Amino acid sequence: MDPAGAGHSKVAELLAARLHPSVHLRTDDFLRVIRDTPTPLDAQRRTTTALAAAAQAAFAYATGGYQVVLESPAAPPTLDTFRRESRTTGAALHYVVLSPSSDDPGATAEPTPEATADSILTSLPHRTHLLGW
């Protein structure tokens, strides 16, 4: 998960490519497939439904033995939805929050997506299912 510009798409792609077998899901895809014209009152229902569908799909793949990389730009509601599904299925949930580079001129250079993916993979136990990017 990250705010715009932190590189979650590229890091998620790299992680999914390096994990076997793996699945790369995007919560935005679950929102895009809903065919309606939401009113302001429907927006919350639409988001809640799409996140629930993404969580169920992610945990279905995870319990089927796949490494799941789920890419999501929204943190608080996504985490609650995925925590509930984790408790329901018994599958572990691990998440990473990426943040964009600092505007501080004294800060060190921002790591590349490749270096970020490498760092994430080396810090996780073997056969960890990755959810919530």
Side-chain angles (χ1 to χ4, degrees):
M1 294 173 292
D2 69 357
H8 72 281
S9 294
K10 183 63 176 171
V11 172
E13 288 173 19
L14 290 166
L15 288 170
R18 294 179 188 176
L19 297 167
H20 299 282
S22 70
V23 175
H24 178 191
L25 300 174
R26 295 173 183 89
T27 57
D28 285 347
D29 292 339
F30 286 85
L31 280 165
R32 276 189 211 107
V33 296
I34 297 174
R35 301 292 180 220
D36 68 357
T37 307
T39 66
L41 295 176
D42 292 333
Q44 181 61 38
R45 178 178 62 97
R46 182 181 197 200
T47 299
T48 301
T49 301
L51 288 175
Q56 290 170 6
F59 279 95
Y61 282 116
T63 58
Y66 290 89
Q67 303 293 316
V68 179
V69 178
L70 185 116
E71 182 182 328
S72 177
T78 301
L79 291 178
D80 290 343
T81 301
F82 282 84
R83 285 183 187 123
R84 282 191 298 275
E85 195 66 24
S86 176
R87 285 190 299 272
T88 300
T89 63
L93 169 65
H94 302 275
Y95 60 91
V96 174
V97 178
L98 301 177
S99 59
S101 60
S102 170
D103 291 334
D104 177 8
T108 59
E110 185 70 21
T112 65
E114 291 80 6
T116 300
D118 288 343
S119 176
I120 292 167
L121 289 174
T122 56
S123 67
L124 294 172
H126 181 66
R127 297 292 297 166
T128 296
H129 295 278
L130 302 174
L131 296 164
W133 292 93

Short mmCIF file of all heavy atoms in Angstrom, two decimals, residues 1-13 27-28 70-76 78-79 95-101 110 113 116 120 131-133:
data_model
loop_
_atom_site.label_atom_id
_atom_site.label_comp_id
_atom_site.label_asym_id
_atom_site.label_seq_id
_atom_site.Cartn_x
_atom_site.Cartn_y
_atom_site.Cartn_z
N MET A 1 0.86 -1.17 0.00
CA MET A 1 0.00 0.00 0.00
C MET A 1 0.89 1.22 0.00
O MET A 1 1.95 1.20 0.60
CB MET A 1 -0.87 0.02 1.25
CG MET A 1 -1.85 -1.10 1.29
SD MET A 1 -2.68 -1.15 2.83
CE MET A 1 -1.35 -1.62 3.90
N ASP A 2 0.44 2.24 -0.62
CA ASP A 2 1.24 3.46 -0.60
C ASP A 2 0.42 4.63 -1.12
O ASP A 2 -0.57 4.44 -1.80
CB ASP A 2 2.49 3.31 -1.45
CG ASP A 2 2.21 3.23 -2.94
OD1 ASP A 2 1.05 3.24 -3.34
OD2 ASP A 2 3.18 3.18 -3.70
N PRO A 3 0.87 5.81 -0.82
CA PRO A 3 0.27 6.96 -1.50
C PRO A 3 0.80 6.99 -2.93
O PRO A 3 1.79 6.34 -3.25
CB PRO A 3 0.78 8.15 -0.69
CG PRO A 3 1.93 7.65 0.11
CD PRO A 3 1.81 6.16 0.20
N ALA A 4 0.14 7.73 -3.78
CA ALA A 4 0.57 7.82 -5.18
C ALA A 4 2.03 8.22 -5.27
O ALA A 4 2.49 9.08 -4.54
CB ALA A 4 -0.30 8.83 -5.92
N GLY A 5 2.75 7.55 -6.15
CA GLY A 5 4.13 7.92 -6.40
C GLY A 5 5.17 7.17 -5.59
O GLY A 5 6.36 7.38 -5.76
N ALA A 6 4.75 6.25 -4.72
CA ALA A 6 5.73 5.54 -3.89
C ALA A 6 6.26 4.28 -4.56
O ALA A 6 7.19 3.67 -4.07
CB ALA A 6 5.14 5.21 -2.52
N GLY A 7 5.69 3.87 -5.68
CA GLY A 7 6.23 2.76 -6.44
C GLY A 7 5.61 1.40 -6.17
O GLY A 7 6.22 0.38 -6.47
N HIS A 8 4.40 1.36 -5.61
CA HIS A 8 3.83 0.07 -5.27
C HIS A 8 3.59 -0.82 -6.49
O HIS A 8 3.77 -2.02 -6.41
CB HIS A 8 2.55 0.21 -4.43
CG HIS A 8 1.35 0.71 -5.16
ND1 HIS A 8 1.16 2.04 -5.47
CD2 HIS A 8 0.28 0.06 -5.66
CE1 HIS A 8 0.02 2.18 -6.11
NE2 HIS A 8 -0.54 1.00 -6.23
N SER A 9 3.22 -0.25 -7.62
CA SER A 9 2.94 -1.07 -8.81
C SER A 9 4.17 -1.83 -9.27
O SER A 9 4.12 -3.04 -9.51
CB SER A 9 2.41 -0.21 -9.95
OG SER A 9 1.16 0.32 -9.62
N LYS A 10 5.28 -1.16 -9.41
CA LYS A 10 6.51 -1.81 -9.87
C LYS A 10 7.02 -2.82 -8.85
O LYS A 10 7.42 -3.93 -9.21
CB LYS A 10 7.59 -0.74 -10.16
CG LYS A 10 8.87 -1.30 -10.72
CD LYS A 10 8.64 -1.96 -12.07
CE LYS A 10 9.94 -2.43 -12.65
NZ LYS A 10 9.75 -3.25 -13.84
N VAL A 11 6.98 -2.47 -7.57
CA VAL A 11 7.45 -3.40 -6.53
C VAL A 11 6.55 -4.64 -6.51
O VAL A 11 7.04 -5.77 -6.45
CB VAL A 11 7.50 -2.72 -5.15
CG1 VAL A 11 7.78 -3.73 -4.04
CG2 VAL A 11 8.55 -1.62 -5.13
N ALA A 12 5.24 -4.46 -6.62
CA ALA A 12 4.32 -5.60 -6.63
C ALA A 12 4.59 -6.50 -7.82
O ALA A 12 4.61 -7.73 -7.69
CB ALA A 12 2.87 -5.11 -6.64
N GLU A 13 4.81 -5.92 -8.99
CA GLU A 13 5.13 -6.71 -10.19
C GLU A 13 6.40 -7.53 -9.99
O GLU A 13 6.47 -8.71 -10.35
CB GLU A 13 5.31 -5.79 -11.40
CG GLU A 13 4.04 -5.17 -11.91
CD GLU A 13 4.30 -4.14 -13.00
OE1 GLU A 13 5.40 -4.14 -13.60
OE2 GLU A 13 3.40 -3.32 -13.24
N THR A 27 -6.46 -4.07 -6.13
CA THR A 27 -7.80 -3.73 -5.65
C THR A 27 -8.52 -2.80 -6.63
O THR A 27 -9.74 -2.86 -6.75
CB THR A 27 -7.77 -3.08 -4.25
OG1 THR A 27 -6.95 -1.93 -4.27
CG2 THR A 27 -7.28 -4.07 -3.20
N ASP A 28 -7.78 -1.98 -7.34
CA ASP A 28 -8.40 -1.09 -8.34
C ASP A 28 -9.16 -1.89 -9.41
O ASP A 28 -10.19 -1.45 -9.90
CB ASP A 28 -7.37 -0.19 -9.00
CG ASP A 28 -6.91 0.94 -8.10
OD1 ASP A 28 -7.56 1.17 -7.06
OD2 ASP A 28 -5.91 1.59 -8.44
N LEU A 70 -0.90 -8.46 -3.28
CA LEU A 70 -2.08 -7.65 -3.52
C LEU A 70 -1.69 -6.18 -3.44
O LEU A 70 -1.13 -5.75 -2.45
CB LEU A 70 -3.18 -7.95 -2.51
CG LEU A 70 -4.44 -7.17 -2.86
CD1 LEU A 70 -5.56 -8.10 -3.21
CD2 LEU A 70 -4.79 -6.25 -1.74
N GLU A 71 -1.99 -5.46 -4.48
CA GLU A 71 -1.62 -4.05 -4.61
C GLU A 71 -2.83 -3.19 -4.29
O GLU A 71 -3.89 -3.37 -4.87
CB GLU A 71 -1.16 -3.84 -6.04
CG GLU A 71 -0.69 -2.50 -6.40
CD GLU A 71 -0.33 -2.46 -7.88
OE1 GLU A 71 0.11 -3.46 -8.46
OE2 GLU A 71 -0.52 -1.37 -8.45
N SER A 72 -2.67 -2.28 -3.33
CA SER A 72 -3.79 -1.44 -2.92
C SER A 72 -3.30 -0.05 -2.53
O SER A 72 -2.35 0.07 -1.77
CB SER A 72 -4.51 -2.07 -1.73
OG SER A 72 -5.54 -1.24 -1.28
N PRO A 73 -3.96 0.99 -3.02
CA PRO A 73 -3.56 2.35 -2.64
C PRO A 73 -4.19 2.82 -1.33
O PRO A 73 -3.81 3.86 -0.82
CB PRO A 73 -4.05 3.20 -3.81
CG PRO A 73 -5.24 2.46 -4.30
CD PRO A 73 -4.94 1.00 -4.09
N ALA A 74 -5.14 2.08 -0.77
CA ALA A 74 -5.85 2.53 0.43
C ALA A 74 -5.45 1.69 1.63
O ALA A 74 -5.51 0.47 1.58
CB ALA A 74 -7.35 2.43 0.21
N ALA A 75 -5.07 2.33 2.72
CA ALA A 75 -4.60 1.58 3.88
C ALA A 75 -5.67 1.20 4.90
O ALA A 75 -5.99 0.05 5.02
CB ALA A 75 -3.44 2.31 4.55
N PRO A 76 -6.24 2.10 5.66
CA PRO A 76 -7.07 1.67 6.80
C PRO A 76 -8.23 0.74 6.47
O PRO A 76 -8.32 -0.34 7.05
CB PRO A 76 -7.54 2.99 7.42
CG PRO A 76 -6.49 3.97 7.03
CD PRO A 76 -6.05 3.54 5.65
N THR A 78 -8.69 -1.15 3.88
CA THR A 78 -8.17 -2.37 3.29
C THR A 78 -7.64 -3.29 4.36
O THR A 78 -7.93 -4.49 4.36
CB THR A 78 -7.05 -2.03 2.28
OG1 THR A 78 -7.59 -1.19 1.28
CG2 THR A 78 -6.48 -3.27 1.65
N LEU A 79 -6.86 -2.77 5.28
CA LEU A 79 -6.28 -3.61 6.33
C LEU A 79 -7.35 -4.27 7.17
O LEU A 79 -7.26 -5.46 7.49
CB LEU A 79 -5.32 -2.81 7.19
CG LEU A 79 -4.03 -2.38 6.49
CD1 LEU A 79 -3.18 -1.55 7.45
CD2 LEU A 79 -3.26 -3.58 6.00
N TYR A 95 1.85 -7.39 5.51
CA TYR A 95 1.70 -6.26 4.61
C TYR A 95 2.88 -5.31 4.75
O TYR A 95 3.57 -5.28 5.75
CB TYR A 95 0.37 -5.52 4.83
CG TYR A 95 0.18 -4.97 6.22
CD1 TYR A 95 0.58 -3.68 6.55
CD2 TYR A 95 -0.42 -5.74 7.20
CE1 TYR A 95 0.40 -3.18 7.81
CE2 TYR A 95 -0.61 -5.24 8.48
CZ TYR A 95 -0.20 -3.96 8.78
OH TYR A 95 -0.39 -3.47 10.04
N VAL A 96 3.06 -4.55 3.68
CA VAL A 96 4.13 -3.56 3.61
C VAL A 96 3.50 -2.25 3.16
O VAL A 96 2.67 -2.23 2.26
CB VAL A 96 5.21 -3.99 2.58
CG1 VAL A 96 6.24 -2.89 2.38
CG2 VAL A 96 5.86 -5.28 2.99
N VAL A 97 3.88 -1.17 3.82
CA VAL A 97 3.43 0.16 3.43
C VAL A 97 4.63 0.89 2.85
O VAL A 97 5.62 1.08 3.55
CB VAL A 97 2.83 0.94 4.62
CG1 VAL A 97 2.41 2.34 4.19
CG2 VAL A 97 1.65 0.18 5.22
N LEU A 98 4.53 1.28 1.59
CA LEU A 98 5.60 2.02 0.94
C LEU A 98 5.30 3.50 1.08
O LEU A 98 4.15 3.92 1.05
CB LEU A 98 5.69 1.67 -0.54
CG LEU A 98 5.93 0.20 -0.88
CD1 LEU A 98 5.92 0.01 -2.38
CD2 LEU A 98 7.22 -0.29 -0.28
N SER A 99 6.34 4.31 1.22
CA SER A 99 6.13 5.76 1.27
C SER A 99 7.02 6.42 0.24
O SER A 99 8.12 5.95 -0.02
CB SER A 99 6.40 6.30 2.67
OG SER A 99 7.73 6.02 3.05
N PRO A 100 6.53 7.50 -0.35
CA PRO A 100 7.33 8.17 -1.38
C PRO A 100 8.58 8.78 -0.78
O PRO A 100 8.69 8.95 0.44
CB PRO A 100 6.40 9.25 -1.93
CG PRO A 100 5.37 9.44 -0.89
CD PRO A 100 5.27 8.16 -0.11
N SER A 101 9.52 9.11 -1.64
CA SER A 101 10.78 9.66 -1.17
C SER A 101 10.55 10.98 -0.45
O SER A 101 9.62 11.71 -0.71
CB SER A 101 11.74 9.87 -2.35
OG SER A 101 11.17 10.76 -3.27
N GLU A 110 16.57 7.41 -2.59
CA GLU A 110 15.46 6.45 -2.51
C GLU A 110 15.88 5.14 -3.16
O GLU A 110 16.47 5.14 -4.24
CB GLU A 110 14.25 7.05 -3.25
CG GLU A 110 13.00 6.24 -3.14
CD GLU A 110 12.40 6.25 -1.75
OE1 GLU A 110 12.69 7.17 -0.97
OE2 GLU A 110 11.64 5.33 -1.45
N PRO A 113 12.97 0.17 -7.10
CA PRO A 113 11.96 -0.87 -6.88
C PRO A 113 12.59 -2.25 -6.73
O PRO A 113 12.15 -3.06 -5.92
CB PRO A 113 11.07 -0.79 -8.13
CG PRO A 113 11.19 0.64 -8.57
CD PRO A 113 12.63 1.01 -8.26
N THR A 116 13.99 -2.54 -3.26
CA THR A 116 12.88 -2.66 -2.31
C THR A 116 12.33 -4.07 -2.34
O THR A 116 12.10 -4.68 -1.29
CB THR A 116 11.78 -1.64 -2.64
OG1 THR A 116 12.33 -0.32 -2.58
CG2 THR A 116 10.61 -1.75 -1.68
N ILE A 120 12.34 -6.76 0.80
CA ILE A 120 11.12 -7.39 1.30
C ILE A 120 11.25 -8.90 1.29
O ILE A 120 10.94 -9.57 2.28
CB ILE A 120 9.90 -6.93 0.47
CG1 ILE A 120 9.63 -5.44 0.72
CG2 ILE A 120 8.67 -7.77 0.79
CD1 ILE A 120 8.67 -4.82 -0.27
N LEU A 131 0.32 -10.17 1.23
CA LEU A 131 -0.98 -9.57 0.96
C LEU A 131 -0.94 -8.10 1.34
O LEU A 131 -0.33 -7.75 2.35
CB LEU A 131 -2.08 -10.26 1.76
CG LEU A 131 -2.32 -11.73 1.43
CD1 LEU A 131 -3.12 -12.39 2.54
CD2 LEU A 131 -3.06 -11.86 0.13
N GLY A 132 -1.62 -7.28 0.61
CA GLY A 132 -1.79 -5.89 1.00
C GLY A 132 -0.69 -4.95 0.58
O GLY A 132 -0.01 -4.40 1.41
N TRP A 133 -0.55 -4.70 -0.69
CA TRP A 133 0.49 -3.77 -1.17
C TRP A 133 -0.14 -2.47 -1.51
O TRP A 133 -1.05 -2.38 -2.22
CB TRP A 133 1.20 -4.34 -2.40
CG TRP A 133 1.97 -5.49 -2.00
CD1 TRP A 133 1.58 -6.80 -2.01
CD2 TRP A 133 3.23 -5.49 -1.39
NE1 TRP A 133 2.52 -7.59 -1.47
CE2 TRP A 133 3.57 -6.81 -1.08
CE3 TRP A 133 4.14 -4.49 -1.05
CZ2 TRP A 133 4.76 -7.16 -0.47
CZ3 TRP A 133 5.33 -4.86 -0.46
CH2 TRP A 133 5.63 -6.18 -0.18
#
